[in-house]
Amino acid sequence: MSGDFLALAQPGVQQLSPYVPGKPVDELARELDIDPATIVKLASNENPLGASPKALAAIREELAELTRYPDGNGFALKTLLAEQSGVQLDQVTLGNGSNDILELVARAYLAPGLNAVFSEHAFAVYPIVTQAVGAMAHVVPAKDWGHDLPAMLQAIDDNTRVVFLANPNNPTGTWFSAEALNEFLQDVPERVLVVLDEAYIEYAEGSELPDGVEFLSGYPNLLVSRTFSKAYGLAALRVGYGLSSAVVADVLNRVRQPFNVNSLALAAACAALQDADYLAESRRLNDAGMLQLQDGFRALGLKWIPSKGNFIAVDLGRVAAPVYQGLLREGVIVRPVANYGMPNHLRITIGLPAENTRLLEALAKVLARG
Ligand SMILES: *Cc1c(COP(=O)(O)O)cnc(C)c1O
């Protein structure tokens, strides 16, 4: 007699679909039987610059210590982050990517009978971490593709423990202002933890997007999550962090794995954080690429959702899946977002100028085929 190990999984898990990542370059190279070097991947919001040379040097140095466990407290990185953000060391939580932080929140604060509130078209990891611990997801309809913060407030009930906000949101690129955030935080019940996911915030510096860190002192129920995967160019290493009250950080620290961030990631993140030139170049490249893609879309008669991230959701005005497939055959990988309730859009990461050109040329070719 064998058990039905799907039916035996807890109900929330049975209803989950696995996260769908961008198609890896090597996979497409095998399928098309072409050189991986000729493929352009604009599918996972990775930094097209390559990692900071300073981060690479730090990794090389750290290799000598590979036999040892990493610093489980991440002292050096936490110290730098605390300094940079103007918070205390005990307010910082390190994660194996910021996805780890989201999962720690769910494990610490959600359970069957409780719920998390988040927006339609929001980051796919919110439903995964929520349902994985048997909690309910309250998904609030989006407004103009973005978070409808007043409606999200309305969706909070007695069993809500967590609200996930993404600013800007992935895959839409939409954002909300400091005023809107402040109003939301003022009205949210104090027992609800607000997770403000700022995975792309470094790209938005100098814009109207709020810096979540500035709200931490006023709101002990706020957690800001950030990552080294995007503007800092270290997606493969998996390192992110949360900034919160010391109490919330202490709780998250109780449920995390003892060595959740590896030593190469810690060393590289410290170096990347101190490489201001790299960050500035990442931003410059992103701003220029964003304009290049918008010009290209305009020329093709396509609309898009304005974005503050390192990606843009373009509206093809028709079902996007065949266009996605057509682009693959041209050696260009982008991200279909039908699983986010956006069947007519493709999400395109801003690449290097030549990569953006390849994408636009391939898109023109595929669309011309009808
Ligand atoms: C990419 C992304 C993250 C970062 O994930 P990591 O685990 O840090 O690589 C977090 N939130 C959103 C909305 C993202 O798009």
Side-chain angles (χ1 to χ4, degrees):
M1 266 280 289
S2 64
D4 180 347
F5 282 96
L6 178 56
L8 287 164
Q10 59 109 329
V13 173
Q14 288 181 47
Q15 284 158 27
L16 274 177
S17 312
Y19 181 81
V20 185
K23 193 178 187 68
V25 168
D26 286 342
E27 190 178 302
L28 182 61
R30 277 196 304 276
E31 288 171 7
L32 297 180
D33 196 19
I34 59 174
D35 179 358
T38 64
I39 291 175
V40 170
K41 183 187 176 203
L42 301 174
S44 300
N45 300 347
E46 294 149 341
N47 192 322
L49 256 186
S52 149
K54 291 185 177 146
L56 294 176
I59 290 169
R60 263 179 235 113
E61 198 169 319
E62 190 61 35
L63 284 175
E65 301 297 324
L66 224 47
T67 188
R68 306 210 180 276
Y69 278 101
D71 174 5
N73 287 318
F75 179 79
L77 180 55
K78 278 190 192 174
T79 302
L80 285 174
L81 289 169
E83 266 170 27
Q84 193 201 48
S85 315
V87 301
Q88 300 299 309
L89 203 68
D90 61 3
Q91 294 181 262
V92 185
T93 307
L94 298 182
N96 192 255
S98 60
N99 281 298
D100 194 22
I101 302 291
L102 304 176
E103 190 172 301
L104 296 179
V105 166
R107 278 170 43 210
Y109 290 103
L110 295 173
L114 302 176
N115 69 69
V117 169
F118 51 86
S119 175
E120 180 189 18
H121 313 306
F123 188 40
V125 169
Y126 310 152
I128 292 179
V129 299
T130 300
Q131 287 175 239
V133 296
M136 287 283 293
H138 284 192
V139 183
V140 178
K143 193 175 168 190
D144 300 330
W145 301 107
H147 293 11
D148 185 346
L149 293 177
M152 292 180 77
L153 273 178
Q154 293 297 316
I156 293 172
D157 65 22
D158 290 347
N159 296 322
T160 303
R161 291 291 179 277
V162 178
V163 176
F164 291 107
L165 302 178
N167 203 33
N169 181 50
N170 170 24
T172 57
T174 51
W175 68 94
F176 47 82
S177 67
E179 297 70 44
L181 175 61
N182 202 32
E183 275 174 34
F184 184 85
L185 290 171
Q186 272 172 10
D187 290 346
V188 100
E190 285 170 20
R191 63 176 163 74
V192 173
L193 182 65
V194 177
V195 175
L196 179 60
D197 181 343
E198 294 190 334
Y200 301 94
I201 198 70
E202 297 84 3
Y203 288 110
E205 205 189 74
S207 78
E208 70 199 70
L209 263 81
D211 176 347
V213 174
E214 289 174 7
F215 293 80
L216 283 174
S217 57
Y219 297 99
N221 59 333
L222 175 65
L223 178 141
V224 175
S225 71
R226 292 184 175 175
T227 182
F228 286 91
S229 298
K230 308 285 163 56
Y232 286 106
L234 298 174
L237 288 177
R238 316 303 305 127
V239 50
Y241 59 100
L243 305 172
S244 64
S245 71
V247 179
V248 169
D250 170 48
V251 167
L252 300 184
N253 200 46
R254 295 177 192 204
V255 293
R256 73 174 174 87
Q257 290 184 30
F259 303 103
N260 61 333
V261 186
N262 72 75
S263 52
L264 302 184
L266 289 171
C270 284
L273 204 57
Q274 296 173 93
D275 191 347
D277 292 343
Y278 177 85
L279 194 62
E281 178 61 8
S282 298
R283 278 199 199 106
R284 193 197 61 72
L285 204 63
N286 195 60
D287 291 345
M290 185 70 85
L291 293 178
Q292 185 187 356
L293 286 188
Q294 289 174 354
D295 285 344
F297 296 156
R298 203 175 287 115
L300 290 170
L302 299 174
K303 294 200 170 76
W304 61 87
I305 304 173
S307 167
K308 292 286 186 196
N310 67 343
F311 58 89
I312 184 165
V314 63
D315 183 357
L316 300 179
R318 54 156 148 153
V319 174
V323 179
Y324 166 69
Q325 294 295 340
L327 288 172
L328 286 181
R329 285 189 290 274
E330 299 296 323
V332 178
I333 310 173
V334 297
R335 191 67 154 267
V337 282
N339 57 334
Y340 284 89
M342 302 168 69
N344 289 1
H345 287 81
L346 289 174
R347 191 197 69 190
I348 298 170
T349 303
I350 311 301
L352 298 169
E355 294 175 322
N356 299 331
T357 301
R358 265 282 299 280
L359 172 274
L360 289 169
E361 286 173 0
L363 188 58
K365 198 165 151 187
V366 172
L367 290 175
R369 281 186 211 132

